[in-house]
Amino acid sequence: MSKPVVAIVGRPNVGKSTLFNKLIGERRSIVEDIPGVTRDRIYGECEWCGRKLTLIDTGGIEPRSDDVILSQMKFQAEVAVESADVIIFLCDVRAGLTAADREVAIMLKKSRKPVILAINKCDRVGSAPMEFYEFYELGFEEDPIAVSSVHGSGTGDLLDAVLAHLPEEEEAEEEDDSIKVAVIGKPNAGKSSIINRMVGSNRLIVSDIAGTTRDAVDTFVENEYGKFTFIDTAGIRRQSKVNDKIEKYSVLRAHMAVERADVCLIMVDANEGVTEQDERIAGIAHEAGKACIILVNKWDTIEKDNTTTNTYTKDVYEALAYMQYAPVIFVSAKTGQRVTNIFEHICYVYNQSQMRVSTGMLNDVLGDATTRVQPPSDKGRRLKIYYMTQIRTAPPTFVIFCNNAELFHFSYQRYLENCLRETFGFRGTPIKLIVREKGEEVPNA
């Protein structure tokens, strides 16, 4: 079941991003960040009272502005509103109730979505300033909630109000044990074609089912390899080329498809090679910690000799240096070349992402690795690594305890990651290493 979506909207400079960061960044309520694109981090995950939520941080809505950037931000906010189950409408108590606030309120009422009015910058705990009460004029059914996005006061009441608008989580009558597979890539890379080819040539049970409330359509397939739910996404264009509302909506859906997926198939057009935009798209899946397979499509159109495949594979890994773990498959949606192989690879990388290694085995590998290559030292102080333990899967996540985290250079972390891969595989999945000094709390599994 996908997580409910909560959009934070309001006019510019009312503190939306600060509130977003507070909600996903507090140790007692957060779980994890779900990075989308590093420069445009607008998605996050938080947990409250045992319920996981996907948060969307939006650009400010300036209803009547002719400014190009502001109108693009307004589009983004409208898309988020369309996608949301609950909306947090944030206003600024210091600026008071503005005409722009009133127009945003009208827009939100037309959406017919549950709206929680939050008044930010109420920094004095226990008493709201007099200006707080003028926001009642906006005419929402529920009382506004006073919050401070800087200090975090009122955020518990705010999240309680969000949960009150969500239906109770239904216990699934039948557990969905299919592997969720998101197919992502630029427009015209062949995403829908590859799904159609896979469905058509491996048809035992096939059906279209509603994927999420955001109108995604999933395709369920069961065959000799197992059960799969394919999540088709519209192509992700460069942000500067996303001009109309439909495409903005599709970009949002693509990010959410990655968040829902167990495995991501990253489609690359063989005729174009790995472009800068392909790197950006692959980064979405990598940063989200998803198992990945790189599909080079339209391989039938490439002239080949006995070195073509090796040369192309090398070029792919040079462009996607952070994804050396992901297998590369050369396919053709048009002819069906190697399409059947994709199922086997999906099962393999999924199982690799779910692998759990005992602490004893991990520390045997750690002992061997530190014997072969001594941990780094600085100004006479040497890094001492005490032990390693795995705390979660998907992606496999390990905590390493040491005497001084500052001495644990990135290059040595990469060395240990390579040792783990040499011993246990972890093919197709990112690995996450968390460095802690001895005595520090272990993150929740």
Side-chain angles (χ1 to χ4, degrees), residues 197-247:
R197 171 66 70 168
M198 294 174 77
V199 168
S201 59
N202 294 275
R203 182 184 299 267
L204 283 186
I205 301 174
V206 178
S207 63
D208 287 337
I209 55 175
T212 68
T213 52
R214 276 78 65 187
D215 300 321
V217 175
D218 297 349
T219 303
F220 175 76
V221 179
E222 183 175 355
N223 59 25
E224 65 268 31
Y225 297 99
K227 299 176 182 177
F228 307 88
T229 300
F230 286 95
I231 309 165
D232 190 9
T233 62
I236 308 175
R237 296 185 192 273
R238 286 182 179 275
Q239 200 64 27
S240 60
K241 294 184 179 177
V242 181
N243 296 318
D244 60 59
K245 191 172 181 179
I246 294 172
E247 280 215 31

Side-chain angles (χ1 to χ4, degrees), residues 105-241:
I106 291 170
M107 183 193 96
L108 295 180
K109 287 176 184 177
K110 287 179 181 176
S111 74
R112 301 191 179 278
K113 299 284 180 78
V115 177
I116 299 164
L117 178 60
I119 313 304
N120 194 24
K121 304 181 185 177
C122 295
D123 297 332
R124 290 183 60 186
V125 178
S127 62
M130 289 302 296
E131 294 81 1
F132 172 84
Y133 298 97
E134 66 180 307
F135 289 91
Y136 279 88
E137 292 179 30
L138 292 175
F140 289 100
E141 292 181 9
E142 298 177 18
D143 292 339
I145 297 174
V147 300
S148 170
S149 58
V150 172
H151 303 297
S153 59
T155 52
D157 293 337
L158 182 62
L159 290 170
D160 284 342
V162 168
L163 294 191
H165 284 286
L166 297 174
E168 292 291 326
E169 282 190 293
E170 297 178 5
E171 294 194 14
E173 295 179 6
E174 292 184 22
E175 187 177 347
D176 182 1
D177 57 352
S178 66
I179 300 176
K180 312 299 182 302
V181 184
V183 185
I184 61 175
K186 294 184 305 185
N188 303 317
K191 296 178 299 300
S192 296
S193 300
I194 206 77
I195 291 178
N196 290 339
R197 171 66 70 168
M198 294 174 77
V199 168
S201 59
N202 294 275
R203 182 184 299 267
L204 283 186
I205 301 174
V206 178
S207 63
D208 287 337
I209 55 175
T212 68
T213 52
R214 276 78 65 187
D215 300 321
V217 175
D218 297 349
T219 303
F220 175 76
V221 179
E222 183 175 355
N223 59 25
E224 65 268 31
Y225 297 99
K227 299 176 182 177
F228 307 88
T229 300
F230 286 95
I231 309 165
D232 190 9
T233 62
I236 308 175
R237 296 185 192 273
R238 286 182 179 275
Q239 200 64 27
S240 60
K241 294 184 179 177

Side-chain angles (χ1 to χ4, degrees), residues 1-12:
M1 180 180 292
S2 58
K3 291 184 282 293
V5 177
V6 180
I8 304 173
V9 301
R11 60 183 180 77

Side-chain angles (χ1 to χ4, degrees), residues 9-11 13-16 88-98 100-102 104-105 116-122 135 138 140 145 147:
V9 301
R11 60 183 180 77
N13 301 318
V14 295
K16 294 183 297 300
I88 295 173
F89 175 24
L90 196 64
C91 297
D92 179 351
V93 74
R94 294 177 190 169
L97 182 59
T98 68
D101 289 326
R102 294 180 192 275
V104 174
I116 299 164
L117 178 60
I119 313 304
N120 194 24
K121 304 181 185 177
C122 295
F135 289 91
L138 292 175
F140 289 100
I145 297 174
V147 300

Side-chain angles (χ1 to χ4, degrees), residues 25 27 33 53 59 97 129 134 215 266 309 317 319 405 409:
R27 172 78 54 171
D33 223 352
L53 308 170
L97 182 59
E134 66 180 307
D215 300 321
I266 301 163
T309 301
Y317 284 140
H409 300 159

Side-chain angles (χ1 to χ4, degrees), residues 289-344:
K290 304 299 180 178
C292 293
I293 300 168
I294 301 166
L295 298 184
V296 180
N297 191 27
K298 306 181 185 177
W299 194 238
D300 57 301
T301 63
I302 300 295
E303 289 187 17
K304 309 171 192 67
D305 56 33
N306 58 358
T307 64
T308 307
T309 301
N310 289 338
T311 302
Y312 207 107
T313 301
K314 183 181 176 183
D315 291 343
V316 168
Y317 284 140
E318 281 184 1
L320 302 176
Y322 54 87
M323 293 190 81
Q324 303 282 326
Y325 57 82
V328 179
I329 310 177
F330 296 91
V331 300
S332 169
K334 183 177 180 181
T335 67
Q337 182 183 13
R338 297 193 189 89
V339 167
T340 304
N341 294 353
I342 298 173
F343 285 105
E344 193 173 346

